[in-house]
Amino acid sequence: MGETAKSRYAETYAQWRADPIAFWGAAAKAIDWTTPATAVFDAEAGVYGRWFPGATCNTCYNAVDRHVAAGRGDQAALIFDSPVTGAKRTLTYAELQHEVSVLGAVLQDLGVAKGDRVLVYMPMVPEAIIGMLACARIGAIHSVVFGGFAAKELATRIEDAEPKVVLAASCGIEPNRVVPYKPLLDLAISMSAVKPEKCLLLQRPEGVGNLTEGRDLDWNEACNDARHAGKAAPCVDVAATDPLYILYTSGTTGKPKGVVRDNGGHMVALSWTMENLYGIKPGEVFWAASDIGWVVGHSYIVYAPLLAGCTTLVYEGKPVGTPDPGAFWRVIEEHKVVALFTAPTALRAIKKEDPDCTFKQGRDMSHFRTLFLAGERADPDTVQWAEDQLGVPVVDHWWQTETGWAIAANPVGLGLLPVKLGSPTVPMPGFDVQVVDEAAKPVPAGTMGSIVVKLPLPPGCLPTLWQQDGRFRESYLEAYPGFYSTSDAGFLDDDGYVFVMGRTDDIINVAGHRLSTGGMEEVIASHPDVAECAVIGVKDALKGEVPCGFVVLKAGERRPHEVIEKELVGLVRDRIGPVAAFKLAVTVNRLPKTRSGKILRGTMKKIADHDEWAMPATIDDPTVLDEIEGVLKTRGMG
């Protein structure tokens, strides 16, 4: 795909390794600071050290105001495209600055001050991004909870973050239904021991919510009143080490884990990635087809593109069904998108419905340069399919809520490295990635182990968990002293490419052999009739665990399921060997997923193992689990 000779990756990574302080000090010059840092890094501060201590800054100023000051106020900052409502809207940087400063003034009038928390519970609408930026502007800490998230989960987050104000919308809109948010919010507040003082409700005509007397305000009315009174909040200086936001990691039981992101390091890291990793220039249109409820939405819908002076695309829709599998190609053509960042599951959905990409025909996508994938393992088959259909580099990269940006990637801006299917390529500057065994000893190249990152973590990563330093140490730093544990398993090859084979929990132990379910999924996904699949380890009296593969077949597949299932068993046996003990492939209509498209393997495993399980809060459609249970029962499991 690319030439190593042309890539500046090796020298850039070597520069960082030789002098991390000089490297990040230089990267920090891209940011406008109110007061410069007294040091680039203080190893004595925080849990493992803090970046840019002594500096003061404002993230909203850097994302919005400085572009207006530089004369780029008329450039589009944000394009909103909502196929579910038919709405489209463009906000320039000057208009965004106005909207954000008005909402900031409303929040200040509601008593929100520097360091206070504001919870955001909204769908993919421009006001959600305006809300996040307004918090950043006045020094408040935002915590976005996925719109439509279950009341019980929302209540635990309200209790943990203790927000003074909640920013919410009356409803969210799915392709086939309207999801009322207001009743969920009211229920969550009634369940929570902590009560927010005020709620600002954005009324959407598709589903209007009831305002609670004395607590709720109409968003548009409040903003209009502030506008008419000439109110506009200026940017408030905060310390670089002050929190910008708290983002709760999904699927946690008990007390939620609030990942903290600071202001200074976050801006430096994200700003560095737009040019060097994504290869995007100011003024270009960048589209992360995620949701602001996830870290990808925080980093690459809201902050990074705006810090870099790009135009960011806010899309309220799905890859298929709004209205068809050509939705992504329409958006790319219409808005002149140069790069799209999405999850492999979105591509698999398109591939299942439209394997030959007939919906792309006749679309002018000549300006489209790169497709980026992250969020879960990108199977080689899907990557290859996308590359064949789109004719552009398909770049897989790997990162986590905790890191806030890519641990490993193929840096387009520094020049592409040769692609190795199944690998997100190489570690980014700042990440000293190592693979170790149980005793924290490095293992040879090509050997599977736990993937860890040598401390300190680079700028942009979590300094700690919200008000839980002890839990941060215990969850991430104690298992491998001196390292951050990613909880992912995999290996490094001889060229230093990273291969992430699954969560450490997805490595199954079959009669003493440690096998990766990701490796088996790769084989199954290569079968021409398979649209997507998930492999889990199921308890077995003899071998400890045996793999079970769940497969969704391509639309219109007519051959008997049992014939295909038999072929899949043979395929895994051929490519991985009898040691995999792979004897069970089960055809299902669909796989249970979170709303960001991650497959809920853990829940499927519990059902198959007859363990107690609870409905995951992040599940997209709960009825899928009934289907899985039904299919397993017919096979004498679950």
Side-chain angles (χ1 to χ4, degrees), residues 178-189:
V178 172
V179 183
Y181 288 0
K182 187 57 172 43
L184 290 166
L185 175 62
D186 289 341
L187 181 57
I189 292 174

Side-chain angles (χ1 to χ4, degrees), residues 457-609:
L457 291 172
C461 294
L462 80 168
T464 189
L465 295 173
W466 177 247
Q467 296 183 329
Q468 298 188 76
D469 285 356
R471 186 174 180 191
F472 171 61
R473 284 192 190 92
E474 182 192 324
S475 300
Y476 300 99
L477 311 181
E478 275 177 6
Y480 305 102
F483 292 92
Y484 161 86
S485 166
T486 66
S487 294
D488 275 311
F491 61 91
L492 292 167
D493 74 2
D494 291 328
D495 299 323
Y497 276 56
V498 180
F499 286 78
V500 186
M501 301 311 287
R503 300 298 279 167
T504 351
D505 308 346
D506 295 333
I507 301 301
I508 60 174
N509 203 323
V510 182
H513 296 280
R514 279 164 64 82
L515 297 169
S516 138
T517 53
M520 292 181 221
E521 286 175 8
E522 209 165 277
V523 172
I524 293 169
S526 71
H527 190 287
D529 296 331
V530 172
E532 57 179 345
C533 63
V535 174
I536 59 170
V538 180
K539 279 183 197 163
D540 179 80
L542 185 65
K543 296 187 179 235
E545 280 183 299
V546 290
C548 170
F550 293 82
V551 295
V552 177
L553 300 178
K554 284 182 184 160
E557 187 41 58
R558 294 284 167 264
R559 293 195 307 146
H561 293 174
E562 50 276 17
V563 173
I564 296 171
E565 288 169 4
K566 212 171 193 160
E567 288 172 2
L568 293 172
V569 170
L571 204 56
V572 174
R573 220 183 155 76
D574 286 350
R575 296 214 202 145
I576 294 180
V579 63
F582 186 81
K583 298 195 178 74
L584 190 60
V586 179
T587 305
V588 291
N589 289 329
R590 51 203 183 134
L591 294 168
K593 291 176 185 173
T594 66
R595 293 171 53 171
S596 69
K598 282 196 171 73
I599 296 167
L600 291 159
R601 294 176 177 80
T603 310
M604 292 165 75
K605 178 172 169 53
K606 283 182 180 146
I607 294 171
D609 286 345

Side-chain angles (χ1 to χ4, degrees), residues 303-317:
Y303 290 111
L306 297 178
L307 287 168
C310 300
T311 301
T312 187
L313 200 119
V314 177
Y315 176 73
E316 188 183 30

Side-chain angles (χ1 to χ4, degrees), residues 616-634:
T618 51
I619 194 162
D620 189 32
D621 181 352
T623 59
V624 186
L625 292 174
D626 298 336
E627 294 172 18
I628 297 287
E629 217 166 7
V631 171
L632 285 172
K633 284 209 170 91
T634 62

Side-chain angles (χ1 to χ4, degrees), residues 90-393:
T90 299
L91 282 168
T92 64
Y93 271 99
E95 287 165 340
L96 182 62
Q97 181 186 34
H98 174 71
E99 295 288 336
V100 169
S101 50
V102 167
L103 183 60
V106 170
L107 288 170
Q108 285 177 329
D109 284 350
L110 294 178
V112 179
K114 181 152 103 174
D116 285 338
R117 274 78 59 212
V118 173
L119 191 129
V120 180
Y121 185 65
M122 297 184 78
M124 285 296 290
V125 291
E127 288 84 357
I129 287 87
I130 291 165
M132 293 165 74
L133 290 165
C135 292
R137 186 175 197 83
I138 63 172
I141 302 164
H142 63 70
S143 185
V144 180
V145 177
F146 214 130
F149 214 50
K152 179 173 166 289
E153 303 301 322
L154 178 55
T156 61
R157 285 150 177 75
I158 290 172
E159 284 191 344
D160 195 65
E162 302 181 346
K164 194 168 260 188
V165 171
V166 174
L167 298 178
S170 56
C171 67
I173 297 150
E174 297 290 318
N176 46 6
R177 63 195 169 119
V178 172
V179 183
Y181 288 0
K182 187 57 172 43
L184 290 166
L185 175 62
D186 289 341
L187 181 57
I189 292 174
S190 73
M191 293 163 82
S192 168
V194 172
K195 310 290 181 197
E197 289 169 24
K198 296 286 177 193
C199 296
L200 208 53
L201 190 72
L202 178 73
Q203 295 284 20
R204 303 191 77 190
E206 295 79 9
V208 175
N210 293 323
L211 295 179
T212 304
E213 188 86 20
R215 187 195 71 200
D216 298 348
L217 296 165
D218 182 291
W219 180 303
N220 287 328
E221 281 177 19
C223 286
N224 285 335
D225 290 350
R227 201 174 277 120
H228 291 139
K231 291 179 177 174
C235 294
V236 173
D237 281 335
V238 297
T241 50
D242 280 344
L244 169 68
Y245 69 75
I246 304 163
L247 180 58
Y248 291 97
T249 56
S250 56
T252 49
T253 48
K255 194 170 165 63
K257 281 200 300 205
V259 167
V260 172
R261 195 82 61 216
D262 65 13
N263 276 273
H266 176 247
M267 285 197 279
V268 172
L270 290 190
S271 182
W272 185 88
T273 64
M274 282 309 279
E275 187 184 340
N276 296 286
L277 197 167
Y278 297 98
I280 309 294
K281 299 274 180 284
E284 294 189 317
V285 183
F286 184 79
W287 178 23
S290 179
D291 187 288
I292 54 153
W294 307 115
V295 71
V296 167
H298 281 61
S299 293
Y300 292 102
I301 295 173
V302 186
Y303 290 111
L306 297 178
L307 287 168
C310 300
T311 301
T312 187
L313 200 119
V314 177
Y315 176 73
E316 188 183 30
K318 300 272 190 245
V320 297
T322 57
D324 53 47
F328 276 17
W329 321 137
R330 172 196 64 84
V331 171
I332 289 169
E333 176 186 52
E334 189 174 323
H335 303 299
K336 300 278 183 281
V337 173
V338 300
L340 165 65
F341 177 167
T342 188
T345 188
L347 288 188
R348 287 197 284 266
I350 297 168
K351 180 181 164 195
K352 180 178 185 232
E353 299 290 320
D354 184 20
D356 300 324
C357 260
T358 48
F359 281 88
K360 189 175 123 319
Q361 282 164 19
R363 294 261 179 223
D364 174 11
M365 288 171 52
S366 52
H367 46 275
F368 183 61
R369 296 198 298 264
T370 330
L371 173 65
F372 294 94
L373 299 177
E376 54 175 344
R377 201 151 182 281
D379 57 290
D381 243 59
T382 300
V383 175
Q384 196 64 66
W385 173 83
E387 217 156 74
D388 294 345
Q389 296 297 341
L390 298 173
V392 299

Side-chain angles (χ1 to χ4, degrees), residues 434-437 440-444:
Q434 302 186 19
V435 178
V436 298
D437 62 16
K441 295 278 179 289
V443 298

